[in-house]
Amino acid sequence: MRRIYGAATADMAAVELDGFEEKWVGKYASIAPAWRRAWTEVIPFFAFDPAIRKIIYTTNAIESLNRVIRKSIKTRGSFPTDDAATKLIYLAIRSFEKDGRNVREWFTARNQFVIMFGERFAA
């Protein structure tokens, strides 16, 4: 599976999917057809740099950040305004970034985000 989602292009990933299907069709018969059904949703993934793709498919970082946000919100009973909740979430994210618990490849991915989305992504 790693060869499929780690391929450099969508065409190379399709070739890897064919190879996976040939090798594992007996043991994992439903995996390749599931990938093929969702292929139109998978293809845009390959437009990103490999560093960004790794951040996207690595859920540990996302789960860790969600835990930090839940923890900061849990201590408050309610918020007077939506803006107050937004500010608390922003501060929790900034604190998470400064604590040094960043994802290993985040800085490489962040630089790629700046290149791709310069005006929309403030590093």
Side-chain angles (χ1 to χ4, degrees):
M1 295 305 302
R2 182 174 293 173
R3 288 180 159 186
I4 298 169
Y5 63 77
T9 65
D11 293 335
M12 292 173 71
V15 170
E16 293 295 340
L17 180 58
D18 292 339
F20 174 86
E21 190 171 24
E22 288 174 14
K23 182 176 181 179
W24 296 102
V25 70
K27 190 170 183 180
Y28 302 107
S30 64
I31 293 177
W35 273 74
R36 291 189 193 287
R37 282 191 303 274
W39 197 246
T40 58
E41 286 82 25
V42 172
I43 290 173
F45 180 72
F46 294 101
F48 294 102
D49 185 81
I52 293 174
R53 293 191 315 209
K54 186 164 186 173
I55 294 296
I56 292 171
Y57 67 70
T58 303
T59 60
N60 290 343
I62 297 167
E63 291 170 2
S64 180
L65 180 58
N66 284 340
R67 181 186 53 80
V68 168
I69 293 170
R70 279 192 310 271
K71 184 177 176 184
S72 66
I73 291 174
K74 182 179 174 182
T75 59
R76 310 294 190 281
S78 62
F79 296 96
T81 64
D82 288 345
D83 194 42
T86 303
K87 287 179 183 178
L88 180 67
I89 292 170
Y90 171 79
L91 292 173
I93 292 170
R94 295 299 294 177
S95 174
F96 177 75
E97 290 176 342
K98 290 179 183 177
D99 284 345
R101 297 177 291 185
N102 292 317
V103 177
R104 207 172 307 139
E105 288 83 11
W106 169 246
F107 293 108
T108 306
R110 183 180 66 181
N111 292 337
Q112 290 299 318
F113 278 127
V114 170
I115 291 167
M116 292 179 73
F117 308 107
E119 71 283 348
R120 293 174 36 198
F121 188 87

